[in-house]
């Protein structure tokens, strides 16, 4: 039976962080009951179309899903594991903000079936937390991590580095503190300026600067070095895990496997009758809910993804992984042989420079190559 990863989007936050362009919204009163009813209805709609599958992961992302009442999370998990056949190792992750956590809620999520949390810590430095517009303190973040360690079998947290003025020594210190608290997984993102955010405006006005490329590259190398000392390997550009601690849900994206996405703005990649389709949903929470209430789904018309486009997507995702792209899987998932999807001259040059490795089983971006992926891919991909 084919496998499936399920993403459920919760689109609300207590405040909008100035760097964030995720589909997240602030409301004076969050219409939780209405939204959850719509999520459950859309999940039923999608499950009926998809048919029987082995469900390998559920990911509650956002937004801030830790604003959901545990009983609502429980109902969504019960629905999903009733519609699909849960894998015996099913991974069920919920993203949590340190601000929206109370002990009771964590215990409630665990009882609902959540077996992994991903906490948005962002920094342990009070000045950085203020700059990033976070509503929680470093102490609250530590408390949330310690509580999660006691309650959940698996735990990850996120940090944002390469912040304005951040030097290597300061980042190594902060990272060591993080690593001393870490369990099996960390997500370590370099700050990016996303169009349409408050930071884009302020950055455009010259209010702050980001580290230059070579300084950022040194921070990246320092990150991998420190993480390795604690036994965490960079299995993806921004994700570090102990062996077996990798996010199975995110691996499904990077390996270009099938996933369903429900809730406002959620994406999916699903195969119907031998064709791979891209599903997407209306981004506005209330407009999406209205569509679900009328039609059972807030989906936009589906797009069939042609083999060349599949190949492009699979390359963009797969080269992020340290393990690279399996040539066999690539052919199965895209219908295109990998050598036919890339520019041979650019491939040769990348191999020569030490950015890519091609074996008889896989195409792999080296650590140096993964640092330059954004620059390499447009030339490499046909
Ligand atoms: C959907 S957010 C989720 C987590 C949760 N809402 C929170 O903020 O705690 C996923 C993660 O992406 C990262 N992120 C978002 N925007 C970013 C940016 N512009 N640069 C770097 N990292 C970013 C943050 O680390 C954030 O925790
Ligand atoms: S970073 Fe998290 S809390 Fe902040 S706006 Fe984005 S989704 Fe919401």
């Amino acid at each position: 039976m084919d496998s499936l990863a399920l993403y459920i989007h919760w689109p609300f936050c207590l405040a909008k962080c100035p760097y964030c362009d995720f589909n997240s919204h602030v409301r004076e009163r969050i219409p939780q009951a209405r939204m959850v009813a719509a999520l459950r209805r859309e999940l039923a709609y999608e499950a009926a179309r998809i048919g029987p599958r082995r469900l390998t992961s559920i990911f509650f992302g956002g937004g801030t899903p830790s604003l959901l009442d545990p009983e609502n999370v429980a109902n969504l998990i019960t629905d999903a594991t009733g519609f699909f056949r849960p894998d015996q190792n099913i991974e069920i992750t919920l993203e949590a903000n340190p601000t929206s956590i109370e002990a009771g809620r964590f215990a409630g999520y665990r009882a609902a079936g959540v077996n992994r949390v991903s906490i948005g810590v962002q920094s342990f430095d009070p000045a950085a937390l203020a700059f990033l517009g976070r509503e929680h303190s470093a102490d609250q973040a530590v408390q949330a991590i310690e509580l999660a360690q006691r309650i959940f079998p698996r735990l990850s947290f996120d940090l944002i580095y390469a912040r304005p003025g951040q030097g290597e020594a300061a980042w190594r210190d902060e990272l060591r503190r993080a690593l001393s608290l870490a369990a099996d997984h960390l997500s370590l993102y370099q700050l990016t300026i996303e169009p349409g955010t408050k930071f884009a405006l302020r950055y455009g006005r010259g209010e702050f600067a980001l580290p230059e490329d070579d300084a950022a590259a040194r921070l990246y190398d320092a990150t991998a070095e420190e993480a390795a000392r604690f036994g965490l390997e960079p299995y993806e550009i921004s994700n570090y895990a102990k062996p077996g601690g990798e996010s199975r849900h995110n691996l499904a994206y990077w390996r270009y496997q099938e996933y369903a996405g429900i809730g406002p703005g959620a994406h999916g990649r699903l195969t119907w009758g031998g064709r791979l389709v891209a599903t997407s949903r209306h981004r506005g929470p209330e407009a999406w809910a209205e569509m679900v209430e009328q039609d059972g789904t807030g989906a936009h018309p589906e797009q069939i993804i042609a083999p060349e486009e599949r190949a492009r997507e699979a390359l963009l995702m797969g080269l992020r992984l340290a393990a690279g792209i399996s040539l066999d899987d690539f052919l199965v998932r895209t219908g295109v042989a990998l050598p036919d999807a890339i520019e041979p001259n650019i491939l040769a040059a990348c191999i020569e420079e030490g950015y890519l490795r091609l074996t008889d089983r896989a195409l792999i971006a080296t650590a140096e190559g993964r640092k330059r992926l954004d620059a390499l891919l447009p030339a490499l991909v046909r």
Side-chain angles (χ1 to χ4, degrees), residues 6 9 32 40 76 80 83 96 119 128 135 138 140 149 168 176 180 216 230 235 243-244 250 258 346 349 366 372 378:
L6 172 66
H9 190 74
Q32 181 159 173
R40 293 182 72 179
L76 283 158
F83 293 137
I119 303 177
E135 304 245 300
Q140 272 176 310
Q149 297 262 29
E168 191 180 317
R176 279 187 205 130
S180 70
F230 284 78
Y235 72 101
N250 287 334
E258 284 182 82
I346 306 288
T366 62
R372 296 169 175 80

Side-chain angles (χ1 to χ4, degrees), residues 65-81:
S66 53
L67 295 172
L68 276 163
D69 293 337
E71 67 178 276
N72 286 328
V73 172
N75 287 336
L76 283 158
I77 293 174
T78 305
D79 288 356
T81 51

Side-chain angles (χ1 to χ4, degrees), residues 7 9 13 17 19-22 61-65 95-98 118-122 134 136 158-161 187 189-194 197 199:
Y7 177 79
H9 190 74
C13 293
C17 303
Y19 53 84
C20 177
D21 77 338
F22 283 78
T64 303
E95 282 184 343
N97 281 38
S118 171
I119 303 177
V121 170
Q122 320 308 358
R134 299 295 290 183
H136 58 86
D158 300 347
L159 294 181
I160 297 181
Y161 71 104
S187 297
Y189 300 109
Q190 297 206 351
L191 177 62
T192 56
I193 303 300
E194 303 298 335
T197 59
F199 268 8

